[in-house]
């Protein structure tokens, strides 16, 4: 099949920009409804709390998401809409770059198709609503693909290699997955005959080394904290023996989730395009070889890993980006592929229907009383709970000498920190006495000796009064009441206590804490 004639290129480019503008405006509307009807997800509030204490790494992730949250909070006054709008901007920028890659590799019509295929997925809808670590990673990954191709086209251009090095570096600071990007570059240079000279090009090696050098402060931070991020990451690969039936169910769940978030027919087209490309690899043009090598080998590895353990749907997300571009070229019938008009038609129909259903559901749910359904309980009630917690804090005898502590899941501390109007520093108690979140890495209540504590315990039962850890740490503890937010059949509930005069506190996971001179001096002064 021939490429799009030059006379039609401007038409397809105009269609893309008009489509992008329409989708952006529509998603702003959905975002505002979402902000009005749902609170921050637990991870979003957790990362926002990271942003208030910038560092070179955090418990489970590199620092970029924390830095971004800090900037967003400073620019928007810690407004919820700022976080949602940042997700929309990052998702839109990623889509523009995907379109640009396909345009550079193939033609305007293929680029339009690739962008539409991505748009018509549930995964893309989620990426534009929730701000997680995948948003900056995918932006860096797609920009890295574009810059590497442009650098390979003009291997003596220092500016392109420098830009690529920076993107690799920022991607590495976003998520550990970016460390796989240099391997992708080397594989393409080794396999593509036209590009093997890149292996002798010092600019490519310098770009790789300079980009990966961004990980050095992250490694230094981990060295000072007993490699806690590595220990956390290792748990993702823990597995246990299962019966054949449960193994089959888990494997089917892995495949089913991927098919759902990328829509079934489009997912089938992605797989079919990669299989066809691998079979015809010796006949592939250089652009097709590039997107095939950037997607198929890694996704095949994830498929094998899925036979061993449960796979989070977002893990292979970066490798699906070039897979969508490959699928668009396959659907368009670029040689040596054959034209498959039925695939394109049904992929767009099914994808469009599912995404339309998802967006209509969001509009209906968050603009009506349906937002009270139990399945959304985790995204509701935090704002009201935070306001009530603030009222309790305002009524204590010495608010300026009272800190807040939340028990239970790390999300409890993060959501209270965000939704209490004063945005206090919220501490967390970990009963296992091991580091389970960033809250155990930061200095704990040991830096507040002599202070009072407003303690929020999840649940309606006043159990803290019998907890020896707290009854011995404080001079006395008073039960002050409870916070109760009805959520349909569910209820968000906390018991509230005022603990007077913290006498002592054993730091959790003290063996991994780096000495904090300021905190230690403050403790001595209060003593």
């Amino acid at each position: 099949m021939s490429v799009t004639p030059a006379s039609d290129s401007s038409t397809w480019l105009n269609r893309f920009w008009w489509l992008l503008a329409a989708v952006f405006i529509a998603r702003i509307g959905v975002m505002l409804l979402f902000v009005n009807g749902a609170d921050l997800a637990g991870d979003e509030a957790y990362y926002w709390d990271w942003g208030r204490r910038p560092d070179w790494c955090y418990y489970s992730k590199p620092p970029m998401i924390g830095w971004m949250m800090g900037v967003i909070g400073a620019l928007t006054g810690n407004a919820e809409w700022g976080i949602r709008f940042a997700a929309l901007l990052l998702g839109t920028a990623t889509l523009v770059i995907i379109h640009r890659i396909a345009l550079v590799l193939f033609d305007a019509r293929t680029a339009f198709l690739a962008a539409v295929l991505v748009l018509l997925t549930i995964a893309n809808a989620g990426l534009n609503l929730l701000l997680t670590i995948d948003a900056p990673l995918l932006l860096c990954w797609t920009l890295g693909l574009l810059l590497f191709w442009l650098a390979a086209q003009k291997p003596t251009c220092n500016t392109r290699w420098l830009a690529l090095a920076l993107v690799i570096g920022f991607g590495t600071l976003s998520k550990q997955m970016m460390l796989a990007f240099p391997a992708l570059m080397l594989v393409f240079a080794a396999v593509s005959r036209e590009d093997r000279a890149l292996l002798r090009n010092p600019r490519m090696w310098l770009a790789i080394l300079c980009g990966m050098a961004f990980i050095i402060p992250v490694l230094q931070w981990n060295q000072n904290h007993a490699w806690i991020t590595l220990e956390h990451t290792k748990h993702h690969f823990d597995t246990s023996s299962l019966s054949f039936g449960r193994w089959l169910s888990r494997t089917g769940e892995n495949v089913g989730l991927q098919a759902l978030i990328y829509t079934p027919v489009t997912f089938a087209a992605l797989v079919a395009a990669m299989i066809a490309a691998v079979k015809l690899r010796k006949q592939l043009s250089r652009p097709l070889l590039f997107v095939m090598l950037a997607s198929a080998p890694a996704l095949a590895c994830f498929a094998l890993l899925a036979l061993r353990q449960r796979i989070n749907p977002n893990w292979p997300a970066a490798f699906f980006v070039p897979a969508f571009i490959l699928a668009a070229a396959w659907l368009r019938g670029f040689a040596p592929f054959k034209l498959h008009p039925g695939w394109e038609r049904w992929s767009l129909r099914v994808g469009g229907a599912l995404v339309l259903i998802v967006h209509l559901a969001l509009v209906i749910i968050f603009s009506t009383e349906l937002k009270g359904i139990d399945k959304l309980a985790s995204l509701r009630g935090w704002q009201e709970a935070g306001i009530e917690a603030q009222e309790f804090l305002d009524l204590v005898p010495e608010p300026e000498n009272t800190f807040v502590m939340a028990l239970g899941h790390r999300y409890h501390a993060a959501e209270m920190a965000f939704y209490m109007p004063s945005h206090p520093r919220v501490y967390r108690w970990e009963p296992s006495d091991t580091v389970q979140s960033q809250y155990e890495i930061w200095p704990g209540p040991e830096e507040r000796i002599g202070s009072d504590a407003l303690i929020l315990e999840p649940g309606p039962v006043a159990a803290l009064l019998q907890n020896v850890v707290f009854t011995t740490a404080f001079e006395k503890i008073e039960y002050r009441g409870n916070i109760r937010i009805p959520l349909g059949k569910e209820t968000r509930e906390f018991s509230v206590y005022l603990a007077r005069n913290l006498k002592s506190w054993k730091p959790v996971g003290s063996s991994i804490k780096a000495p904090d001179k300021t905190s230690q001096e403050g403790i001595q002064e209060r003593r």
Side-chain angles (χ1 to χ4, degrees), residues 46-78:
Y46 185 42
Y47 299 148
W48 169 85
D49 217 0
W50 290 6
R52 298 200 292 174
R53 305 183 69 157
D55 208 337
W56 281 109
C57 191
Y58 298 94
Y59 169 71
S60 57
K61 303 292 185 296
M64 184 60 72
I65 187 67
W67 294 353
M68 288 178 56
M69 286 291 192
V71 172
I72 294 167
L75 292 177
T76 66
N78 295 314

Side-chain angles (χ1 to χ4, degrees), residues 187-197 286 289 293:
V187 168
F188 175 71
V191 173
S192 174
R193 293 181 179 179
E194 298 95 324
D195 297 279
R196 284 178 187 164
R286 186 164 163 261
L289 182 65
L293 290 174

Side-chain angles (χ1 to χ4, degrees), residues 389-403:
Q390 183 70 52
E391 292 173 355
F392 277 103
L393 181 61
D394 293 339
L395 292 174
V396 302
E398 300 180 78
E400 69 284 350
N401 191 41
T402 303
F403 64 92

Side-chain angles (χ1 to χ4, degrees), residues 180-494:
F181 193 89
L184 180 157
M185 296 167 57
L186 295 175
V187 168
F188 175 71
V191 173
S192 174
R193 293 181 179 179
E194 298 95 324
D195 297 279
R196 284 178 187 164
L198 291 175
L199 295 174
R200 301 187 299 274
N201 189 336
R203 295 174 182 83
M204 184 176 80
W205 291 102
L206 282 172
I208 291 174
L209 291 175
C210 291
M212 296 187 70
F214 279 60
I215 200 69
I216 291 175
V218 177
L219 295 177
Q220 290 176 332
W221 184 94
N222 270 274
Q223 185 179 30
N224 294 331
H225 293 79
W227 301 101
I228 190 65
T229 307
L230 179 62
E231 289 297 318
H232 168 77
T233 303
K234 284 168 55 179
H235 292 315
H236 288 315
F237 300 96
D238 292 342
T239 187
S240 57
S241 59
L242 300 174
S243 64
F244 177 75
R246 295 193 65 183
W247 172 84
L248 190 63
S249 174
R250 185 189 65 192
T251 305
E253 178 186 334
N254 288 331
V255 177
L257 282 174
Q258 297 291 345
L260 175 63
I261 65 175
Y262 295 116
T263 68
V265 177
T266 299
F267 180 74
L270 295 173
V271 175
M274 286 186 285
I275 292 174
V278 171
K279 287 182 177 180
L280 300 170
R281 59 189 179 277
K282 294 183 179 179
Q283 305 172 44
L284 296 180
S285 63
R286 186 164 163 261
L288 286 171
L289 182 65
F290 176 63
V291 289
M292 186 275 283
L293 290 174
S295 56
L299 291 176
C301 291
F302 275 104
L304 293 175
L305 186 62
L307 300 177
R308 176 184 179 272
Q309 65 178 78
R310 178 171 281 105
I311 298 294
N312 288 344
N314 64 319
W315 288 1
F319 302 101
F320 273 103
V321 169
F324 272 95
I325 299 173
L326 177 65
W330 178 71
L331 291 169
R332 289 269 291 119
F334 272 85
F337 299 135
K338 295 181 180 179
L339 183 63
H340 297 76
W343 278 102
E344 179 179 353
R345 183 167 56 251
W346 283 103
S347 181
L348 295 177
R349 286 177 178 176
V350 174
L354 285 177
V355 170
L356 183 61
I357 290 170
V358 168
H359 282 85
L360 284 177
L362 288 174
V363 171
I364 293 171
I365 288 172
F366 291 112
S367 61
T368 67
E369 293 303 315
L370 287 176
K371 61 186 176 184
I373 61 178
D374 298 333
K375 295 295 183 182
L376 296 173
S378 64
L379 293 176
R380 293 184 297 109
W382 288 112
Q383 184 174 22
E384 295 87 344
I387 292 173
E388 290 197 19
Q390 183 70 52
E391 292 173 355
F392 277 103
L393 181 61
D394 293 339
L395 292 174
V396 302
E398 300 180 78
E400 69 284 350
N401 191 41
T402 303
F403 64 92
V404 180
M405 175 183 285
L407 279 57
H409 200 277
R410 66 180 184 272
Y411 292 167
H412 296 162
E415 298 279 14
M416 284 298 183
F418 184 84
Y419 282 108
M420 290 180 69
S422 63
H423 299 303
R425 160 85 163 92
V426 179
Y427 298 84
R428 175 178 178 266
W429 177 58
E430 174 50 52
S432 71
D433 198 34
T434 59
V435 177
Q436 299 294 327
S437 73
Q438 183 63 30
Y439 290 105
E440 290 75 66
I441 294 176
W442 286 328
E446 67 272 10
E447 66 177 359
R448 298 299 302 267
I449 300 298
S451 298
D452 297 342
L454 186 75
I455 302 176
L456 308 172
E457 180 184 30
V461 180
L464 193 73
L465 296 175
Q466 285 76 46
N467 191 309
V468 67
V469 172
F470 289 90
T471 55
T472 58
F474 291 91
E475 187 174 296
K476 64 177 181 178
I477 300 178
E478 308 166 4
Y479 175 67
R480 285 299 184 101
N482 70 341
I483 297 169
R484 192 174 188 278
I485 310 298
L487 303 172
K489 295 180 181 179
E490 303 289 332
T491 302
R492 188 165 309 291
E493 194 160 5
F494 288 89

Side-chain angles (χ1 to χ4, degrees), residues 107-173:
D107 60 23
R109 184 174 177 182
T110 305
F112 180 84
L113 177 58
V116 171
L117 290 175
V118 173
L119 267 174
L120 299 182
T121 63
I122 296 174
N124 185 256
L127 183 70
N128 285 267
L129 276 177
L130 302 174
L131 183 55
T132 67
I133 57 172
D134 293 302
L137 170 72
L138 290 176
L139 178 63
C140 290
W141 193 278
T142 52
L143 187 55
L145 289 172
L146 177 61
L147 288 172
F148 177 53
W149 178 261
L150 294 177
Q153 293 293 93
K154 193 176 180 182
T156 59
C157 181
N158 293 329
T159 303
R160 295 182 182 186
W161 290 112
L162 176 60
L164 178 59
L166 292 174
V167 168
I168 293 173
F170 289 131
T172 300
L173 294 177

